[in-house]
Amino acid sequence: MKKQLIRTFVLFALFLPGVSFADGEHQVFELGNFQLESGEILPSAFLSYVTHGSLNEEKDNLVLVPSAYLGDHHGFDFLIEEDKALSPDRYFIVATDMFQNGYSSSPSNTPRPFNGPNFPTIEIRDNVTAQYRLLTEIFGVSEAAAIVGFSMGAQQAFQWAVSHPNFIRKTVGICGSAIEHPHGSVRLEGFKSAIMTDAGYMGGTYIEPPTIGLEAGGTHWAAWGTSQEWFRLGLYRDMGLDSPEGFIEFFQTFVKSWDANNLIALAATWQRNDIGKTDGFNGDSEAALASIKSDVLYMACETDQYFHIEALKWEAERIPGAKFVVMPSLWGHMAGGGRSADDAKFINDQVTDFLDANN
Amino acid sequence: MKKQLIRTFVLFALFLPGVSFADGEHQVFELGNFQLESGEILPSAFLSYVTHGSLNEEKDNLVLVPSAYLGDHHGFDFLIEEDKALSPDRYFIVATDMFQNGYSSSPSNTPRPFNGPNFPTIEIRDNVTAQYRLLTEIFGVSEAAAIVGFSMGAQQAFQWAVSHPNFIRKTVGICGSAIEHPHGSVRLEGFKSAIMTDAGYMGGTYIEPPTIGLEAGGTHWAAWGTSQEWFRLGLYRDMGLDSPEGFIEFFQTFVKSWDANNLIALAATWQRNDIGKTDGFNGDSEAALASIKSDVLYMACETDQYFHIEALKWEAERIPGAKFVVMPSLWGHMAGGGRSADDAKFINDQVTDFLDANN
């Protein structure tokens, strides 16, 4: 846990020096023997989350905020402030941790026989199932105002819209997709293979972390996280770094703060993402997109190297009435996390307008 | 050598099934004790090359074609045909191998004390120096019609234009730059670190190839070589592959056919590329660009993930009179190697027009 706090601190201290943390208390929802889509049962499974604000009497002001890759329940703290899109005065915000991120049930915190590399296969839908239980069993709601997700959080948001079409009124997906398009999967394979090349990884049975592999993974990721122009124009200076090498080191340190099995398992979940695999759609992703009833704000970043505009536009065009917005930013994928002041403002303005509109 | 022949065969068999090889005979120019920019002297250095066509009486029809990364003297065979831009009936074409590519002096073919990881630091300018000696000492020319380079070949082309401003009349740089912009260097660091993470690499002193690291390097490269849309639209099928995984395996096999030290040394040369470091420019890259006297055709590919348009445009705007052309292709960087029939035709048409024009 200490490591994770350091991780979160490092991330936010560097990116958002002026932003205070949302201060919801960290909580855990015990899921018991949790049935997974794979058919396996994960015993004593649990879902980690924090909340901000209060559920209103009508029980209709809940906003679900699922976590992203290399992220946790703090991912949207920059929107969770009194005068921001997700004001705790207005909304009851539930920020969840994905399975395998080190907070919710993960390879790193699960006892034998499901520890480490033996952790069962997790789908995006398994996360949605756990969150659905949290919302209905713990908070007793039968509807929600919105879901806002970035990256793998957007994957969860779109999956919610397909799995529970009448539950959440508004869906915001930022720099993430309903289907994993093949380039993204190939990119992740490169990240995984960099880690697994370390002999110390030992097929996931390491005692000491495979540090060299994690470092190589960080180096790998450094070239993908932002954009070519971001480097050329020296925008790493906005993160307090003075060189591209400094950014590589930043990513190496960041990736090393994670557990290797968690990273690899999460990446595998990401690679398999496809709303078309939802029950009833027989692999027909386009039909699943067309089935969405929630209002949708679908945001892409023009320089995102993971989720490129063409693929996201293709998806958005197949979601009835979806609003497709392109963020003008050189921060690439990281723009979607509100990593620069301009990006944070752009996202805040868009999400505010979208949530306020009577669609 | 056998390995390299297989490598070349695999590459071309998959990419260009209908194109016959240019059939110049493989030759070696002995450079003797070769003075490097680093100050070191490489003993018994040699430069590998092939020629096509004949030098005319005026000795003014030579076209230099330097090699690219993961490439060799066959890189432009698709332009070297009777009815193509580089017709051997018209031009005397000299296709050279870069130091460290396994044909010219390289970590893999140099005896102690400069073998393997002990091979001296090579700059793009060292390649130009060796080529200049080949052209003047062996072919006795004092001018050349053109230089045509792709990727690291373009780096050599631009360096020629700065180092010998009155020697080559026309310079063609395709998907390559005169300066290595930082994103490219970070990307290459990821590739290198994937290889070096293999414990079998042993700091370059391996006896058996570090196969796992080379495979991880291939996986890494697979996501960079083309473009996101190339994968989404399944253009790997044009290479006879039936899945993105097939493309990963293709790249793994390809990278494994190379020597790890050669790859890492070549990547380091690439990372340091900067015409501003030419004697007399004191690191002023813009002044070096402005000094170019050769006619220049500067080609970018709109989806190139290595050499992005903005950086290349920035450079082209600083070269007096340069013609900047953007290739419309989804083949990313590989477009510049003429990897699809459309790309090969586009390049052929552009280079033909440029060489024929009276600029």
Side-chain angles (χ1 to χ4, degrees):
Chain A
M1 188 61 79
K2 193 182 157 205
K3 236 187 211 167
Q4 287 159 336
L5 288 176
I6 291 171
R7 178 210 323 156
T8 304
F9 173 75
V10 169
L11 181 63
F12 281 87
L14 275 165
F15 282 146
L16 298 166
V19 176
S20 62
F21 288 7
D23 55 2
E25 201 179 333
H26 185 230
Q27 303 191 62
V28 168
F29 172 41
E30 301 289 350
L31 293 158
N33 288 328
F34 187 69
Q35 173 72 56
L36 298 169
E37 182 173 297
S38 69
E40 287 195 89
I41 289 171
L42 183 63
S44 306
F46 56 95
L47 174 63
S48 154
Y49 66 98
V50 298
T51 67
H52 308 271
S54 310
L55 193 59
N56 61 9
E57 276 186 34
E58 297 80 7
K59 292 195 167 193
D60 67 357
N61 71 331
L62 188 148
V63 175
L64 181 61
V65 180
S67 70
Y69 196 79
L70 290 170
D72 57 34
H73 52 269
H74 284 298
F76 273 107
D77 286 2
F78 72 99
L79 287 188
I80 304 173
E81 291 187 68
E82 204 178 317
D83 58 344
K84 295 284 168 61
L86 304 181
S87 167
D89 290 347
R90 181 171 174 189
Y91 296 112
F92 176 54
I93 299 130
V94 180
T96 54
D97 287 297
M98 263 189 296
F99 286 129
Q100 310 172 130
N101 86 336
Y103 288 92
S104 291
S105 288
S106 301
S108 65
N109 61 21
T110 296
R112 291 173 187 278
F114 296 112
N115 62 316
N118 309 309
F119 198 74
T121 298
I122 299 287
E123 304 293 351
I124 291 292
R125 279 173 295 284
D126 293 316
N127 287 289
V128 170
T129 300
Q131 292 156 12
Y132 182 83
R133 283 189 48 193
L134 174 69
L135 267 52
T136 54
E137 296 176 22
I138 300 296
F139 303 122
V141 302
S142 56
E143 63 176 322
I147 182 166
V148 180
F150 158 58
S151 196
M152 281 189 86
Q155 295 173 2
Q156 295 166 74
F158 293 126
Q159 186 61 58
W160 259 96
V162 173
S163 295
H164 304 288
N166 298 308
F167 199 101
I168 301 185
R169 296 193 295 279
K170 303 205 179 195
T171 299
V172 180
I174 305 172
C175 296
S177 58
I179 305 157
E180 181 61 3
H181 299 280
H183 176 269
S185 184
V186 172
R187 179 181 56 75
L188 287 165
E189 203 58 32
F191 176 65
K192 286 160 57 184
S193 69
I195 296 172
M196 295 190 288
T197 294
D198 186 341
Y201 176 67
M202 301 192 294
T205 62
Y206 52 86
I207 305 297
E208 293 299 315
T211 309
I212 300 170
L214 289 166
E215 268 190 19
T219 308
H220 170 100
W221 209 286
W224 288 111
T226 60
S227 73
Q228 287 91 345
E229 280 294 274
W230 183 89
F231 280 100
R232 192 170 73 87
L233 301 179
L235 295 185
Y236 42 80
R237 285 189 284 267
D238 292 359
M239 288 172 61
L241 303 169
D242 58 9
S243 68
E245 292 71 30
F247 186 64
I248 291 177
E249 281 169 35
F250 163 78
F251 249 108
Q252 288 175 339
T253 303
F254 184 37
V255 170
K256 276 194 290 188
S257 75
W258 279 73
D259 174 74
N261 283 320
N262 288 356
L263 285 174
I264 287 169
L266 265 175
T269 300
W270 181 341
Q271 289 176 306
R272 284 191 306 273
N273 177 50
D274 183 357
I275 54 165
K277 293 185 205 148
T278 311
D279 264 356
F281 290 100
N282 276 320
D284 187 341
S285 309
E286 289 194 58
L289 288 165
S291 76
I292 291 176
K293 293 183 168 59
S294 172
D295 294 333
V296 171
L297 171 61
Y298 199 133
M299 294 175 72
C301 170
E302 62 179 348
T303 56
D304 191 336
Q305 298 186 87
Y306 310 5
F307 296 101
H308 57 302
I309 293 180
E310 292 86 349
L312 302 199
K313 190 157 180 284
W314 181 92
E315 290 190 2
E317 285 170 355
R318 281 153 181 80
I319 300 172
K323 181 180 181 187
F324 185 66
V325 173
V326 176
M327 294 176 64
S329 172
L330 295 178
W331 284 70
H333 186 67
M334 282 167 60
R339 296 314 189 200
S340 78
D342 286 347
D343 297 331
K345 181 176 185 316
F346 187 91
I347 293 169
N348 184 63
D349 290 349
Q350 288 287 334
V351 175
T352 300
D353 289 352
F354 176 70
L355 295 185
D356 286 349
N358 292 312
N359 297 76
Chain B
M1 188 61 80
K2 193 182 158 206
K3 237 186 211 168
Q4 287 158 335
L5 287 176
I6 291 171
R7 178 209 324 155
T8 305
F9 172 75
V10 169
L11 180 64
F12 281 87
L14 275 165
F15 282 146
L16 298 165
V19 176
S20 62
F21 288 7
D23 55 1
E25 200 178 334
H26 185 230
Q27 302 191 61
V28 168
F29 173 40
E30 301 289 349
L31 293 158
N33 288 328
F34 187 69
Q35 173 72 56
L36 298 169
E37 182 172 297
S38 69
E40 287 195 89
I41 289 171
L42 183 63
S44 306
F46 56 95
L47 174 62
S48 154
Y49 66 99
V50 298
T51 68
H52 309 271
S54 309
L55 193 60
N56 61 9
E57 275 185 34
E58 297 80 6
K59 292 195 166 193
D60 67 357
N61 70 331
L62 188 148
V63 175
L64 181 60
V65 181
S67 69
Y69 196 79
L70 289 171
D72 57 33
H73 52 269
H74 284 297
F76 273 107
D77 286 3
F78 72 99
L79 287 188
I80 304 173
E81 291 188 68
E82 203 178 319
D83 58 344
K84 295 283 168 61
L86 304 182
S87 167
D89 290 347
R90 182 170 173 189
Y91 295 112
F92 176 54
I93 300 129
V94 180
T96 53
D97 288 297
M98 263 190 297
F99 286 129
Q100 310 172 130
N101 86 336
Y103 288 92
S104 291
S105 289
S106 301
S108 65
N109 62 22
T110 296
R112 291 173 187 279
F114 296 112
N115 62 316
N118 309 308
F119 198 74
T121 297
I122 299 286
E123 304 293 351
I124 291 291
R125 280 173 295 284
D126 293 316
N127 287 288
V128 170
T129 300
Q131 292 156 12
Y132 182 83
R133 283 189 49 193
L134 174 70
L135 267 52
T136 54
E137 296 176 21
I138 299 297
F139 302 123
V141 302
S142 57
E143 63 176 322
I147 182 166
V148 180
F150 158 58
S151 197
M152 281 190 86
Q155 295 173 2
Q156 295 166 74
F158 294 126
Q159 186 61 57
W160 259 96
V162 173
S163 296
H164 304 288
N166 298 307
F167 199 102
I168 301 185
R169 296 193 296 279
K170 303 206 178 195
T171 299
V172 180
I174 306 172
C175 296
S177 57
I179 305 157
E180 181 61 3
H181 300 279
H183 176 269
S185 184
V186 172
R187 179 181 56 75
L188 287 165
E189 203 59 31
F191 176 65
K192 286 159 58 184
S193 69
I195 296 172
M196 295 190 289
T197 293
D198 186 340
Y201 176 67
M202 301 192 294
T205 63
Y206 52 86
I207 305 296
E208 293 299 314
T211 309
I212 300 170
L214 289 166
E215 267 190 21
T219 308
H220 170 100
W221 209 285
W224 288 111
T226 59
S227 73
Q228 287 91 344
E229 280 293 274
W230 184 88
F231 280 99
R232 191 170 75 86
L233 301 178
L235 296 186
Y236 43 80
R237 285 189 284 267
D238 291 0
M239 288 172 62
L241 302 168
D242 58 8
S243 68
E245 292 71 29
F247 186 64
I248 292 177
E249 281 168 34
F250 163 77
F251 249 108
Q252 288 175 338
T253 303
F254 184 37
V255 170
K256 277 194 290 186
S257 75
W258 280 73
D259 175 75
N261 283 320
N262 288 356
L263 286 174
I264 287 170
L266 265 174
T269 300
W270 181 341
Q271 289 176 305
R272 285 191 307 273
N273 177 49
D274 183 357
I275 54 165
K277 293 185 203 147
T278 311
D279 264 355
F281 290 100
N282 275 319
D284 187 340
S285 309
E286 289 194 58
L289 288 166
S291 77
I292 291 177
K293 293 184 169 59
S294 172
D295 294 333
V296 171
L297 171 61
Y298 199 134
M299 294 176 71
C301 170
E302 62 180 348
T303 56
D304 192 336
Q305 298 185 87
Y306 310 5
F307 296 101
H308 58 302
I309 292 180
E310 292 87 348
L312 302 199
K313 190 157 179 285
W314 181 92
E315 290 190 2
E317 285 170 355
R318 281 153 181 79
I319 300 173
K323 180 180 181 188
F324 185 66
V325 173
V326 176
M327 294 176 63
S329 172
L330 296 178
W331 285 70
H333 186 67
M334 282 167 60
R339 296 314 189 200
S340 78
D342 286 347
D343 297 332
K345 181 176 185 318
F346 187 91
I347 294 169
N348 184 63
D349 290 348
Q350 288 287 334
V351 175
T352 300
D353 288 352
F354 176 69
L355 295 185
D356 285 349
N358 292 312
N359 297 75

